Amino acid sequence: METNQLLFFLSALGAFNGFILSFYFAVNARNKIFSNYFLSLLLLVLSIRIIKSVFFYFNPSLSNIFIQIGLSACFLIGPFLFLSLKSYAQNGKTKWIQHVIPYLGSITILGFFYPYTQHQKIWSIWIVKSIYLQWLVYIILSFRYVRPIFYKLKNKESLKKIDIWFLSIYFGVVLIWLAYASAAYTSYIVGALSFTFILYLIIMLLIFRNNDESVFFKEKEKYKNKEMDAEIRDLIGQKIVIIEEKELYLNPDFSLEEAAKELKITKHLLSQYINEILGKSFSNLIKEYRIEKAKKLLETEKNLTYESLGYDSGFTSKSTFFTAFKKITGLTPAEYQKAYSKGV
């Protein structure tokens, strides 16, 4: 009896706090962090799904209408995860109608013509399976927006606060999906408990993010008290231009390790030089090289599409190219090309 009460408390608490956190993000959303709107909605639909699971587990005679609402909310978990990550990656608003309206329409039509109260078998066999399949598809589609974070991990670069933040959200949703997808082999309540765990992890990250005294998100002072020798600094300064001269940055998978090998210096020294002397990260340095290449192509090539221009500059996707170009130059590729043409 006490075990059941503890399970109920932990599971319901996660759902309750999910509603609170959803409201927090909705209130604090701004145009510059448009992804917060989608994050708020993601937490909302997850909380609805979880609270349905909690009450159904402890009260199987739960109203069928409530069950239908909880299952319907699942239709929007995947889309809101995708939109949240995409809007952040593209640094602003994103097209959301095609990812939301069709599913809202589907929920309405299914609820009207096939209500759960009268068609439990159809919901259990077909609709629920479709929901989890659609959720999985959006998890896969969303991976492209957290993939750059894995490149940073691969290159042993420091992660930003926001990188850890969105990585936690992504894997949190994946874990909850796995919990529900495997519920037939474990327990139905595992999904709710997973949500509680993930939610408190996210809350902890939020607290750390806003706490300047926290060491959790502080960038490590890797090279403190380890000043670089002037002779070594000058040597690296002479060698680093090789990356630009040989256009090594055009390799989409070009890493700090490969750069150090090409320049015949240790990875540690190269990283220290870029961080201390140039005042930037390795990934930002490579992005700047790629943008300079893209600018030259925009000035000389008239028949290239912007997508192929991004690939020719070393970027792995159109979205990452556009985001980096806008961030570094303050203009879109089209705006830059137009401004250059007028100047000529």
Side-chain angles (χ1 to χ4, degrees), residues 115-296:
Y116 186 85
T117 52
Q118 300 170 24
H119 301 276
Q120 293 184 27
K121 192 172 182 180
I122 293 176
W123 276 79
S124 300
I125 296 175
W126 299 106
I127 298 177
V128 171
K129 288 182 179 179
S130 299
I131 287 171
Y132 287 120
L133 178 61
Q134 178 250 28
W135 188 350
L136 176 61
V137 168
Y138 271 101
I139 284 174
I140 294 169
L141 291 175
S142 300
F143 181 74
R144 66 181 294 188
Y145 299 112
V146 295
R147 188 167 55 183
I149 303 174
F150 285 98
Y151 285 136
K152 288 185 179 180
L153 289 171
K154 179 183 175 183
N155 295 330
K156 297 181 180 178
E157 296 180 37
S158 299
L159 295 184
K160 296 179 181 177
K161 301 174 187 178
I162 200 71
D163 292 333
I164 301 174
W165 177 248
F166 279 103
L167 203 60
S168 301
I169 292 168
Y170 178 79
F171 279 109
V173 173
V174 171
L175 180 61
I176 294 167
W177 180 87
L178 284 171
Y180 278 118
S182 62
Y185 309 101
T186 54
S187 173
Y188 191 69
I189 201 64
V190 171
L193 292 173
S194 299
F195 179 67
T196 299
F197 170 76
I198 294 302
L199 189 64
Y200 275 96
L201 175 62
I202 290 175
I203 291 173
M204 183 177 70
L205 291 173
L206 180 65
I207 293 170
F208 276 127
R209 186 185 72 165
N210 292 321
N211 183 1
D212 291 334
E213 298 303 315
S214 168
V215 296
F216 189 84
F217 280 128
K218 273 189 177 180
E219 297 295 333
K220 293 181 180 178
E221 297 180 54
K222 298 180 184 177
Y223 315 115
K224 190 175 182 180
N225 299 324
K226 295 181 181 178
E227 290 187 7
M228 182 176 285
D229 182 86
E231 187 176 341
I232 294 175
R233 186 179 63 227
D234 293 339
L235 179 63
I236 297 175
Q238 294 169 15
K239 285 188 171 187
I240 202 168
V241 295
I242 293 174
I243 296 175
E244 188 172 14
E245 290 174 352
K246 290 188 175 182
E247 297 189 332
L248 301 175
Y249 55 84
L250 294 182
N251 175 8
D253 299 319
F254 188 59
S255 65
L256 178 66
E257 189 173 351
E258 290 171 343
K261 188 176 179 181
E262 181 71 30
L263 302 182
K264 294 180 176 59
I265 54 178
T266 67
K267 186 170 65 173
H268 174 81
L269 282 175
L270 179 59
S271 179
Q272 183 177 359
Y273 179 87
I274 294 171
N275 279 268
E276 280 189 358
I277 309 304
L278 301 184
K280 60 191 71 173
S281 67
F282 176 77
S283 62
N284 284 338
L285 176 66
I286 298 304
K287 279 180 187 176
E288 289 176 7
Y289 285 145
R290 288 170 178 165
I291 293 304
E292 285 303 314
K293 176 68 175 181
K295 286 162 65 176
K296 290 176 183 176

Side-chain angles (χ1 to χ4, degrees), residues 6 15 38 47 56 75 84 115-116 150 164 170 257 308 311 314 327 341 343:
L6 181 62
F38 297 121
S47 298
F56 181 73
F75 266 115
S84 176
Y116 186 85
F150 285 98
I164 301 174
Y170 178 79
E257 189 173 351
S308 59
Y311 290 130
K327 185 175 181 180
S341 299

